[in-house]
Amino acid sequence: MAKVLSIVGYSATNVGIYRDQVRSLFKDSLDIRVHIIGAFSRERIESSDLVLFTSFDALERTLGDSAGCRDVIFASRTVSKAGFDLVASLDDGKGKEILLVDETLPMAEQMVATLRQAGLRRPGLRAVAEGGIRYSGGDTVVILGETGYDTSGAGRVLDIGNSLLDVPTILDIGFRLGLGHMLNRQNIRENYREIMTTNIGLAEVLGMTNRFEGFLDILLQSVDSGIVGVDVDGKVFSCNDKARNLLGLGLGPGPGQGQGQGSAAGAIVGVAAREAFPQIPFEAVLREKTPLRDRIARASGGDVVYSVDPILHSGVLYGAVAVFGRFGEEERKQHRIRTQIPDRGHHARYTFADIIGSSPILVRRKEMARRMAESASSVLITGESGTGKEMFAQAIHNSSPRRDFQFVAVNCGALPESLLESELFGYDEGAFTGARKGGKPGLFELAHRGTLFLDEIGEMPPSLQMRLLRVLEERQVMRLGGAELIGIDIRVIAASNRDLGKMVAGGGFREDLYYRLNVLPLHIPPLRERREDIMPLVREFQRLFGFTFGIRPEVDEFFMRHSWRGNARELRNYVEFIANLGVEMVGLADLPVPPDQSGFRKESRLEDHAGQGTMATAGGAGIVETGSACRDVEVRQFILDELKAAHRSGKRMGRRGLYEKAKQRCLFMSEREIRIVLAGLAREGFVEIRPGKGGTVLTMTGLHSA
């Protein structure tokens, strides 16, 4: 049976407009009666479920002190935006009054207050009651629609249109009569888009959500998923358009429009969920009070992925809500999320154009890599440190069909076994002490549909080699502490500066994993085997550092004869070293040349540059003691990498050991420089420098550093 709403006012025109407003929203769910002061039935008013009075004076003139009716509400009135603009655009009038006329003085005062509250800054606006004043030729009279008021004598009459019920009043009617769900429709937007509401917060919400179907539907329609809510009895109380579309129900006029509207979609609200959505187990969730996650159901609109959660508060069940997504869209959504994970940097910067060099052997390798990019098979890149294996890996990714997805890189030799495992596979909440709340996706998951680059694969512990092989074969991964297998679609590119074939023969690397990775082998030649690329690389590094300097012929000769055991990385260090000296023409004395590696003069002019912030010599080799920020970062990363490697092998390493390691890798660092950087790391809590021969060890912070 429809609820009864009575509207009581002075003007049949105004009361009729309010009636039409309410009816446009609630349709046949309300029996709306209109009553005009002076001709009304008290009995019919008192028998109503709710009475809307246009003013407090209207209440006193109809019911007096009686409270016989079910409920009472007073109209919050406003005008259209067009009417508001008419008043706001009135000329100043130089002191002349603007008189707003309404049925009673309180109603006129309320409308003036509404205009002020809505932002009217026009001075001189005064409220008057009908017939309560004589007008002069200088007065401007503002009326609300076709009123029939006597405005004779006024200089100007401005009709700003009939007054309207403000949005809060409509919402109040809906919720008081238990019809709030019917506001979840298109009509509330259409009816109130042009209303000048005095509720600024509500005005902002409606202004920002013009595309939504209704006030209560704002949140539901804004999300990118289908949402269906059911109450504790299993009856639908909400269903957004996305859900109707996914489940093949059609959009229709929307929920809550009553029976007999000619649309199955319009009759969803209030229907038992087992009838409306038989494929979704709402009843099981309500009964067990436990969620069902990531299930697939067949609908006429296609396969959908859904999750159903009970709505619980303080242990009390209030219903359940289901969230739907189209199968296939969910994967694209996951990719968009993965690409926005902060501080990850999971993207490839380099292309084949960034790999500098025109030597025949390098050109052949680049052509081979381009052909490999079109394949989905695993690639194993080998070569000495500093040859650019990761640049090739990134270039392959950027030339592949996976270029629009993630490029995820991990150095298998830079992390302890336990940390590497959690990084690769991820973990569920509570998997181990210190596990992040909510768990964490692993790099396999982040690389879904993209490329996973496993650098220094030869350093991966045997136990993880076995797990990696299984992931590559099954294309599924399970998080630490988890119970679900997560399907992944990745391409693996691995790299190593070690001879994995010899490691397999010696038992240091799994043979089955080696052959699984070595489908497409790519060897990057060292710099000494492609000397035509040396000077182009020098010019490229000059461009990167933003310095120009000339090179004497003997330096050019040295560059071409040097062994470059550190390859392009060592060459870059040379160029950066020279760039920090600030010399215009570089000679042999300006180079950090180890005397045991060259047949050139051993003297160094580095001390001549000490006043420029550069010092020299350790064991005959020129060393940058203080340099650029890039140099500091490089030394710091070298130390952290070596200490992590020592930690994995159970060894300790001090300054002298780090110095010897640097010499072996052709990284020119003095013990003093290493000591300064170690002291800084200790202050930051990354390392602990132990007395005597205790060496330097990483703290937990240092172990988990990038």
Side-chain angles (χ1 to χ4, degrees):
M1 183 177 178
K3 296 292 183 71
V4 177
L5 170 70
S6 286
I7 304 177
V8 182
Y10 291 89
S11 165
T13 300
N14 287 338
V15 171
I17 290 173
Y18 303 154
R19 176 197 58 206
D20 293 342
Q21 277 188 272
V22 175
R23 180 172 290 161
S24 69
L25 287 168
F26 298 103
K27 302 296 181 182
D28 297 333
S29 296
L30 273 183
D31 176 6
I32 305 175
R33 303 170 181 174
V34 295
H35 306 272
I36 310 303
I37 300 297
F40 60 88
S41 169
R42 184 186 180 100
E43 292 75 16
R44 285 176 57 83
I45 293 177
E46 291 182 342
S47 64
S48 303
D49 295 290
L50 179 68
V51 183
L52 171 65
F53 290 98
T54 59
S55 66
F56 184 74
D57 179 68
L59 169 66
E60 290 186 321
R61 295 186 60 177
T62 53
L63 300 180
D65 295 331
S66 171
C69 59
R70 175 71 66 86
D71 205 353
V72 170
I73 184 175
F74 294 95
S76 172
R77 301 180 307 138
T78 186
V79 295
S80 68
K81 289 182 180 179
F84 177 87
D85 291 340
L86 282 175
V87 179
S89 65
L90 286 172
D91 295 335
D92 187 0
K94 297 182 179 181
K96 295 180 180 179
E97 285 191 315
I98 299 175
L99 307 175
L100 188 145
V101 186
D102 210 339
E103 297 167 355
T104 65
L105 182 59
M107 292 177 69
E109 290 173 338
Q110 180 266 325
M111 186 56 70
V112 170
T114 293
L115 295 174
R116 293 294 189 195
Q117 189 175 343
L120 183 67
R121 298 292 181 265
R122 176 67 176 81
L125 181 63
R126 184 160 67 92
V128 297
E130 177 193 2
I133 189 173
R134 289 187 176 181
Y135 305 112
S136 66
D139 293 333
T140 295
V141 177
V142 176
I143 61 175
L144 303 172
E146 297 295 332
T147 60
Y149 296 163
D150 181 7
T151 57
S152 56
R156 179 184 181 186
V157 177
L158 180 66
D159 182 3
I160 63 172
N162 294 95
S163 62
L164 303 167
L165 296 178
D166 203 351
V167 179
T169 299
I170 296 296
L171 296 177
D172 206 358
I173 292 171
F175 285 110
R176 287 190 185 224
L177 294 177
L179 301 173
H181 62 276
M182 300 193 66
L183 300 175
N184 186 20
R185 293 170 55 251
Q186 176 84 2
N187 283 9
I188 193 168
R189 172 173 67 90
E190 294 298 332
N191 282 317
Y192 294 102
R193 182 164 47 191
E194 299 301 326
I195 281 184
M196 198 66 197
T197 180
T198 60
N199 188 317
I200 301 302
L202 185 57
E204 288 295 320
V205 170
L206 292 176
M208 292 185 296
T209 56
N210 277 342
R211 68 182 183 278
F212 300 143
E213 286 192 349
F215 181 71
L216 297 183
D217 201 28
I218 287 172
L219 291 179
L220 295 180
Q221 299 296 349
S222 66
V223 299
D224 192 34
S225 302
I227 298 178
V228 173
V230 303
D231 60 23
V232 70
D233 297 321
K235 294 183 178 180
V236 178
F237 66 78
S238 183
C239 177
N240 69 355
D241 283 352
K242 184 76 172 182
R244 297 192 195 103
N245 181 271
L246 289 172
L247 297 172
L249 299 175
L251 298 183
Q257 295 193 5
Q259 303 298 323
Q261 296 301 309
S263 169
I268 290 176
V269 172
V271 174
R274 65 177 177 273
E275 298 175 8
F277 315 107
Q279 68 274 56
I280 310 301
F282 281 106
E283 288 185 329
V285 173
L286 293 172
R287 182 176 60 254
E288 303 296 335
K289 299 182 182 179
T290 56
L292 292 175
R293 300 285 172 78
D294 302 323
R295 304 298 178 89
I296 295 180
R298 171 68 69 177
S300 58
D303 288 339
V304 295
V305 180
Y306 70 89
S307 295
V308 187
D309 286 85
I311 303 173
L312 294 166
H313 182 67
S314 300
V316 178
L317 179 68
Y318 290 91
V321 61
V323 180
F324 300 86
R326 192 180 302 281
F327 188 76
E329 284 184 2
E330 293 301 303
E331 285 195 350
R332 289 190 289 273
K333 185 189 302 182
Q334 287 298 316
H335 168 67
R336 292 194 298 269
I337 294 172
R338 291 185 186 109
T339 59
Q340 298 176 47
I341 294 178
D343 303 325
R344 285 285 186 176
H346 293 322
H347 60 275
R349 295 182 298 154
Y350 299 113
T351 66
F352 287 114
D354 297 312
I355 300 176
I356 305 300
S358 57
S359 61
I361 190 171
L362 184 66
V363 170
R364 287 196 298 271
R365 294 298 187 271
K366 289 169 69 173
E367 284 303 316
M368 185 182 299
R370 283 192 178 95
R371 293 195 297 270
M372 291 178 176
E374 298 302 318
S375 171
S377 300
S378 300
V379 180
L380 179 59
I381 304 176
T382 56
E384 298 177 4
S385 292
T387 52
K389 295 186 292 296
E390 183 166 355
M391 288 189 72
F392 267 88
Q394 292 191 22
I396 290 172
H397 171 81
N398 278 332
S399 295
S400 76
R402 298 173 181 265
R403 66 179 66 90
D404 295 328
F405 294 89
Q406 302 273 61
F407 177 87
V408 180
V410 58
N411 190 322
C412 301
L415 300 173
E417 179 176 352
S418 59
L419 185 57
L420 178 60
E421 183 179 28
S422 65
E423 283 292 309
L424 285 174
F425 295 92
Y427 55 81
D428 278 352
E429 182 175 342
F432 51 84
T433 303
R436 180 187 301 175
K437 183 176 177 63
K440 175 184 175 183
L443 298 182
F444 286 115
E445 294 178 59
L446 294 179
H448 180 59
R449 300 191 69 183
T451 301
L452 178 64
F453 176 57
L454 300 172
D455 199 8
E456 303 298 345
I457 188 66
E459 306 296 330
M460 178 175 282
S463 61
L464 291 187
Q465 292 180 29
M466 181 176 63
R467 290 196 66 184
L468 172 61
L469 177 64
R470 184 169 184 83
V471 170
L472 295 180
E473 291 179 342
E474 302 295 335
R475 298 292 166 171
Q476 291 180 321
V477 65
M478 182 182 294
R479 293 185 182 182
L480 299 181
E484 293 184 8
L485 287 172
I486 302 169
I488 56 171
D489 172 18
I490 61 172
R491 184 188 195 177
V492 171
I493 301 178
S496 178
N497 61 2
R498 304 177 65 179
D499 190 332
L500 295 184
K502 290 183 178 179
M503 291 183 65
V504 169
F509 198 82
R510 290 183 64 96
E511 184 176 18
D512 46 7
L513 178 59
Y514 172 69
Y515 288 117
R516 190 68 180 79
L517 295 172
N518 198 32
V519 179
L520 299 175
L522 180 67
H523 180 73
I524 311 302
L527 195 56
R528 61 183 173 273
E529 295 180 9
R530 46 186 180 97
R531 295 185 180 274
E532 305 98 312
D533 299 333
I534 292 175
M535 297 314 297
L537 281 170
V538 170
R539 290 189 290 271
E540 175 65 12
F541 293 146
Q542 282 185 275
R543 185 189 66 80
L544 288 176
F545 295 128
F547 288 96
T548 56
F549 50 78
I551 298 176
R552 297 184 186 278
E554 62 269 23
V555 175
D556 197 335
E557 182 184 355
F558 165 76
F559 279 151
M560 297 302 293
R561 290 179 53 185
H562 187 55
S563 62
W564 300 116
R565 288 184 294 177
N567 292 291
R569 186 179 291 124
E570 181 186 358
L571 179 60
R572 178 188 173 109
N573 285 353
Y574 268 69
V575 177
E576 185 175 3
F577 180 91
I578 296 168
N580 279 280
L581 297 180
V583 296
E584 295 183 0
M585 184 62 68
V586 180
L588 287 177
D590 299 307
L591 301 179
V593 185
D596 60 341
Q597 291 188 21
S598 71
F600 295 83
R601 53 186 292 188
K602 299 179 183 179
E603 296 85 352
S604 173
R605 288 211 317 259
L606 294 182
E607 292 182 355
D608 297 341
H609 303 291
Q612 301 178 31
T614 306
M615 298 183 63
T617 80
I623 311 298
V624 178
E625 290 279 340
T626 61
S628 67
C630 293
R631 171 69 172 176
D632 295 337
V633 171
E634 182 182 14
V635 175
R636 175 190 179 98
Q637 192 60 52
F638 162 77
I639 291 174
L640 286 173
D641 289 346
E642 290 299 327
L643 290 178
K644 288 174 182 177
H647 174 80
R648 289 194 301 273
S649 61
K651 298 178 181 179
R652 294 181 180 177
M653 184 173 291
R655 290 193 307 273
R656 186 67 187 178
L658 289 167
Y659 171 70
E660 294 298 330
K661 283 282 188 181
K663 285 180 59 179
Q664 294 172 18
R665 294 174 56 179
C666 299
L667 299 174
F668 307 110
M669 304 176 189
S670 69
E671 287 192 61
R672 179 176 181 273
E673 185 177 19
I674 292 173
R675 183 173 64 252
I676 291 172
V677 175
L678 280 174
L681 289 170
R683 286 193 299 271
E684 295 175 41
F686 285 83
V687 302
E688 177 185 353
I689 303 175
R690 295 180 175 175
K693 296 185 178 181
T696 302
V697 296
L698 289 168
T699 63
M700 290 302 294
T701 301
L703 280 172
H704 289 78
S705 63

